[in-house]
Amino acid sequence: MMNRKNSLKNIARRYGAACLGAVLLLTSASVGLTGCGMDTEISDMSREMIQEEEQQTYLYQLNEDGDCILRSEYSFEQPDTEGRITEMVAKAAAAPEDTGKKSLLPENTTIKVDNLTDGILTLQLSGAMKGMRNASEVLTIGGLVRTFIQIDGVDGVAFKVNGGALKDSYGKELGVFTESSFVENSGKTINTYLSASMTLYFTDQTGTYLVPEIRKVYYSSNESLEQAVLEELIRGPKEEGHYPVLAADSSITSVIPGGDVCYVNFGKSIDATSLLSVSAEIPIYAVVDSLAVTCNTEKVQISINGESDMLFRNKMDLKQTYEKNMDLILR
């Protein structure tokens, strides 16, 4: 079995985030679990866990609904780098044997190897794939990166889509994805916790301004800091005179940072009857500003039940990305 490059990064790739059992998290380039500009505290892990992670490889596929990445243990059949790349290209293109799973590739999408140069594997995607323009396409790219980065001799993965460079929903070319671009969660519980000082934005009694709360939060390393921020927003404010911005029964399907854009998909409407007096932009910018200040997120695109082609409260266009807006904060 292959030699893994960095034990700490491999642990980060295994235990970083949660999305119905598997989600993506964009981390800092240097150390996997210290992203988002926050100091974290990580408990010691056993040497056996490190050794196990160094030896194990996985096959990545989508769940039946196509909104989450699943993984299963896999042993390479080919002994060398080129053979393993060819092997995994075939696996990515083939329909899964398990009827409860889907291929990483969108229907009518093909994949082939362009080249492997200085450790950078370039893959060509053609057909239905357009780029990282929605949550499902981000999952596709994330799953493919995690598939090929396991192979010794592959230090980064780049993509060409229908002959052009891969771009995010903002039109920016994304370049090379490396081992630190995405981390994964195994779905197992571990006794490892991170701590972060979060700046969360709620609303005042008029429902027209944002008010900040700073709180220290301990959260499982099975989830990302971005996910933890959103969960705290859903839990609501703790300070007197502060009011909720998201419905208490809101659910988070996925949080997917990719390039400059963080894709947030809520499983159900974040609105509620009790929030109708809150201005339409307040829930949106509460999410955006909380992620921007706590996680250094540049842009956020929000979808509800996987849909972004809609107007939230008949006003806020979810097709566009939103940036931090400090004008709404009560001074």
Side-chain angles (χ1 to χ4, degrees):
M1 195 63 66
M2 62 183 171
N3 240 340
R4 300 300 295 167
K5 304 172 187 93
N6 184 303
S7 295
L8 181 57
K9 285 184 179 179
N10 297 333
I11 293 171
R13 292 177 63 206
R14 182 171 183 177
Y15 296 109
C19 163
L20 302 178
V23 141
L24 308 178
L25 163 66
L26 187 65
T27 60
S28 66
S30 55
V31 180
L33 287 176
T34 57
C36 299
M38 303 303 301
D39 292 330
T40 57
E41 301 167 0
I42 308 175
S43 64
D44 292 334
M45 291 184 175
S46 68
R47 182 173 301 172
E48 290 80 7
M49 186 180 294
I50 295 174
Q51 292 173 344
E52 175 189 356
E53 187 66 17
E54 287 179 334
Q55 296 171 353
Q56 188 59 62
T57 54
Y58 298 94
L59 186 65
Y60 293 94
Q61 295 162 326
L62 297 179
N63 66 344
E64 191 171 9
D65 292 331
D67 59 7
C68 239
I69 291 178
L70 303 177
R71 74 179 191 181
S72 55
E73 293 184 1
Y74 181 81
S75 296
F76 286 114
E77 298 175 359
Q78 300 299 319
D80 61 351
T81 297
E82 290 187 5
R84 289 179 175 181
I85 291 172
T86 301
E87 180 180 343
M88 297 313 276
V89 165
K91 289 292 182 181
E97 296 179 3
D98 188 338
T99 56
K101 296 179 181 179
K102 296 172 60 176
S103 169
L104 287 172
L105 299 180
E107 190 174 357
N108 299 321
T109 298
T110 62
I111 180 173
K112 67 178 182 179
V113 176
D114 186 88
N115 66 79
L116 175 64
T117 305
D118 296 330
I120 305 303
L121 172 66
T122 301
L123 298 172
Q124 292 191 42
L125 302 176
S126 301
M129 186 76 180
K130 302 301 181 183
M132 289 177 69
R133 299 183 182 180
N134 54 52
S136 63
E137 291 180 336
V138 175
L139 288 174
T140 292
I141 295 301
L144 290 174
V145 170
R146 295 195 296 184
T147 294
F148 290 96
I149 207 72
Q150 300 178 102
I151 300 172
D152 275 354
V154 178
D155 300 316
V157 183
F159 295 90
K160 293 180 179 178
V161 178
N162 293 314
L166 175 67
K167 298 179 180 180
D168 63 17
S169 63
Y170 209 69
K172 179 181 178 181
E173 294 187 8
L174 294 176
V176 177
F177 293 90
T178 65
E179 190 170 24
S180 62
S181 295
F182 296 98
V183 298
E184 72 195 58
N185 172 50
S186 68
K188 298 179 180 178
T189 301
I190 57 173
N191 295 319
T192 305
Y193 292 88
L194 312 179
S195 66
S197 178
M198 298 181 181
T199 300
L200 307 170
Y201 290 93
F202 300 99
T203 192
D204 68 337
Q205 62 181 353
T206 70
T208 57
Y209 291 98
L210 294 173
V211 289
E213 283 190 19
I214 299 175
R215 64 180 70 160
K216 186 172 184 178
V217 176
Y218 292 89
Y219 62 100
S220 170
S221 61
N222 281 353
E223 69 178 11
S224 68
L225 179 57
E226 288 87 347
Q227 172 115 2
V229 166
L230 296 177
E231 289 175 350
E232 287 298 307
L233 280 179
I234 292 171
R235 290 189 182 101
K238 295 182 178 180
E239 297 183 16
E240 186 175 354
H242 294 179
Y243 296 86
V245 290
L246 302 179
D249 62 349
S250 300
S251 62
I252 306 164
T253 298
S254 61
V255 185
I256 308 173
D260 293 335
V261 183
C262 180
Y263 300 84
V264 177
N265 183 21
F266 290 97
K268 61 187 301 183
S269 179
I270 58 178
D271 214 345
T273 302
S274 60
L275 299 177
L276 289 179
S277 60
V278 176
S279 299
E281 65 267 27
I282 290 298
I284 301 300
Y285 281 110
V287 170
V288 174
D289 289 0
S290 296
L291 291 174
V293 174
T294 301
C295 300
N296 294 327
T297 303
E298 293 188 25
K299 303 180 183 73
V300 179
Q301 184 172 49
I302 297 173
S303 58
I304 298 174
N305 287 323
E307 295 293 330
S308 57
D309 189 9
M310 60 181 293
L311 294 178
F312 177 74
R313 297 272 200 87
N314 296 316
K315 181 177 180 180
M316 306 299 290
D317 187 358
L318 298 189
K319 286 189 297 185
Q320 73 175 69
T321 57
Y322 287 92
E323 300 181 43
K324 180 172 63 176
N325 182 357
M326 297 287 102
D327 292 338
L328 291 175
I329 298 174
L330 186 64
R331 306 297 180 182

